[in-house]
Amino acid sequence: MKRVRIGNGCGFWGDNLDAPIRLASVGKLDYLTLEYLAELTMSILAIQKAKDASAGYATDFIDVLTRLAPMMGHLPRFRIVTNAGGMNPRACAAAAREVLARAGRAETPIAVVTGDDLMPRLDDLIAAGHAFTHLDTGEPLAAVRARVVSANAYLGARPIADALKLGADVVVTGRVADASLTVGPAAHEFGWGFGEADLDRIAAATVAGHLIECGAQVTGGLWINADDETRLGNAGYPIAEIAEDGTFTVSKPAGTGGAVNFETVAEQLLYEVADPARYYTPDVVADFTTPTLTESGQDLVAVSGCRANGLTDTYKVSVAYRDGFMAAGTLVIAGPNAVAKARQSAAVLLERFRRSGFTCAASHVEVLGAGAVAGGVVRADHDPAEVVLRIAVRDPNRGSVERFTKEFAPLVTGGFAGTTGYTVGRPPVREVLAYWPALVAKSAVTPAVSLV
């Protein structure tokens, strides 16, 4: 039975830069996927593009491709699929073309997938009755339209499969669903359609894509039973070997650290899942309650029985809008009664901030080391010798937030005994980009594929 090997070497912008190179070198891959985008990433890229028309994509991909390019001639079936294009896939593809040309591979076919960026059409879409209603609050996007900086539909796997059919060896997309980076190559290789006849197989590839999309998270990263023997410092990144019937295995390159077992795969299967029976993607609604996981070898898990639970007629849309400014700073409080002194220090800082004549829309105090991260689940049952005090504020007025940042240093000499850790200066003031999740009819979005 025909099979295709798809390895994912990146789970987010900022992931291990060596992982894609190792996967390509020893993974015996047909496809390497590189997943760079998150909701916050898209808004950051939108602001970068607004400042520089040639920016707006994940630049780490260009660094990775520079190292991959010399290897590609020795890997004749090797193809790359990535959403590194972010807000500017054409500019990303142009930068990739320069890298490949310098490596003597100027003729490498590159395809670009566009159509996800709805910002140029946003007002027309709203006027046509697409309200982009907030999925949690039910509020129409018109309430914040003036502050919107990006609006991107999550495209699916079909345009990726179309790009590969055109002969592309490198496919650069904007915003597509994470799992679709894997579904596209599988659909292309096996000739699957995106209708009812192949829906279970599309669902299986979606499960495979979901399992490998976060890189080392399925090969031991964040595994609840990881220990020194897991060797996370040398963790291998995941490979999904998908068969034409939709069954597949998850593995990692031999000799690497990490682990692939029932637990690591099951934990990742439930990552970022609301209703396991209805995992919505632009390609299929996958039923995550149906797969069977079987440890079939060392660092090898077989997955079978994946089923679909229908289709949707909408794309999810990720909207980012400006929502004021924020800053967060930390201090270390050491010695006896560290927790109490940290909380008292926060009260002193916020009191001085208010006495300066400024206010903030919201503030947040955490005492790290005293159960702040998992309050109600994990709590300190003794007074720790030291804690980290973290204080954050948010406000529409940048000046108020800037004034807040000036209240940390005085505590070093005018606070409680044991106050230290003020080593990096005043906290930076950052613009807040808030997230607005919505849906839009698929009929309103037209994905486009072109060779460049």
Side-chain angles (χ1 to χ4, degrees):
M1 185 182 300
K2 185 177 179 181
R3 295 178 176 273
V4 59
R5 285 174 66 84
I6 305 172
N8 182 45
C10 181
F12 59 95
W13 190 9
D15 206 351
N16 187 333
L17 290 174
D18 296 327
I21 316 306
R22 295 176 67 192
L23 266 180
S25 299
V26 300
K28 301 178 181 178
L29 301 181
D30 299 307
Y31 292 88
L32 173 69
T33 62
L34 300 167
E35 201 286 294
Y36 287 99
L37 302 181
E39 290 74 19
L40 177 61
T41 309
M42 291 298 289
S43 56
I44 293 171
L45 293 175
I47 291 175
Q48 290 181 353
K49 185 181 179 183
K51 296 177 180 178
D52 179 356
S54 66
Y57 60 88
T59 52
D60 278 8
F61 171 59
I62 304 305
D63 297 333
V64 168
L65 186 61
T66 299
R67 298 170 65 189
L68 286 174
M71 303 166 51
M72 293 175 67
H74 307 292
L75 303 168
R77 280 184 48 82
F78 182 75
R79 293 179 171 184
I80 300 170
V81 179
T82 179
N83 60 9
M87 291 298 302
N88 203 347
R90 292 193 180 280
C92 183
R97 169 68 65 207
E98 292 180 6
V99 167
L100 292 169
R102 288 197 298 270
R105 302 193 58 80
E107 302 305 314
T108 301
I110 302 176
V112 173
V113 174
T114 57
D116 62 294
D117 185 2
L118 304 184
M119 273 297 287
R121 304 170 51 218
L122 192 57
D123 290 327
D124 290 340
L125 289 169
I126 292 174
H130 300 280
F132 297 95
T133 301
H134 194 292
L135 290 177
D136 294 328
T137 68
E139 194 175 8
L141 183 63
V144 298
R145 171 63 188 94
R147 293 182 278 147
V148 171
V149 298
S150 66
N152 294 79
Y154 289 71
L155 301 183
R158 189 192 298 265
I160 295 174
D162 291 344
L164 295 169
K165 188 175 181 179
L166 290 175
D169 285 343
V170 178
V171 180
V172 177
T173 78
R175 198 31 161 147
V176 300
D178 298 352
S180 297
L181 296 175
T182 297
V183 178
H188 166 69
E189 290 289 332
F190 301 131
W192 295 340
F194 290 87
E196 292 291 339
D198 289 318
L199 217 53
D200 284 342
R201 286 179 280 272
I202 295 295
T206 297
V207 174
H210 173 74
L211 288 175
I212 69 173
E213 70 189 26
C214 291
Q217 199 161 284
V218 75
T219 58
L222 301 187
W223 175 30
I224 194 170
N225 286 317
D227 55 23
D228 289 344
E229 294 184 4
T230 310
R231 296 189 297 126
L232 289 178
N234 187 38
Y237 274 52
I239 301 167
E241 184 169 316
I242 305 173
E244 192 168 4
D245 64 358
T247 58
F248 65 90
T249 61
V250 178
S251 64
K252 62 183 183 67
T256 59
V260 177
N261 56 43
F262 180 89
E263 287 186 358
T264 65
V265 174
E267 288 175 11
Q268 176 59 25
L269 182 65
L270 296 178
Y271 173 70
E272 290 186 339
V273 172
D275 180 353
R278 294 173 178 82
Y279 184 78
Y280 292 94
T281 81
D283 305 311
V284 68
V285 181
D287 187 344
F288 281 11
T289 70
T290 61
T292 298
L293 311 181
T294 304
E295 291 188 12
S296 54
Q298 180 69 35
D299 291 315
L300 185 69
V301 171
V303 183
S304 61
C306 300
R307 296 290 180 267
N309 197 359
L311 286 166
T312 73
D313 59 0
T314 56
Y315 288 120
K316 184 178 178 182
V317 180
S318 174
V319 179
Y321 64 98
R322 300 181 190 276
D323 196 27
F325 302 88
M326 66 86 63
T330 61
L331 291 170
V332 175
I333 313 298
N337 304 314
V339 174
K341 288 189 297 187
R343 291 178 178 143
Q344 290 168 334
S345 297
V348 168
L349 186 150
L350 292 174
E351 178 186 355
R352 290 177 176 174
F353 172 60
R354 288 189 293 268
R355 288 177 60 188
S356 69
F358 289 87
T359 61
C360 60
S363 63
H364 183 67
V365 174
E366 295 177 300
V367 181
L368 305 176
V373 175
V377 178
V378 177
R379 65 191 186 103
D381 56 4
H382 64 285
D383 192 41
E386 59 192 23
V387 295
V388 175
L389 170 64
R390 179 180 182 273
I391 312 173
V393 302
R394 178 177 60 82
D395 196 77
N397 179 13
R398 185 184 184 100
S400 292
V401 179
E402 288 177 343
R403 185 64 175 83
F404 160 79
T405 67
K406 299 173 182 178
E407 297 295 344
F408 281 83
L411 288 178
V412 175
T413 55
F416 294 94
T419 301
T420 185
Y422 187 77
T423 57
V424 293
R426 290 170 178 165
V429 176
R430 297 186 176 92
E431 186 173 20
V432 175
L433 297 172
Y435 175 53
W436 187 286
L439 300 175
V440 68
K442 285 183 176 177
S443 60
V445 180
T446 304
V449 179
S450 58
L451 289 174
V452 297

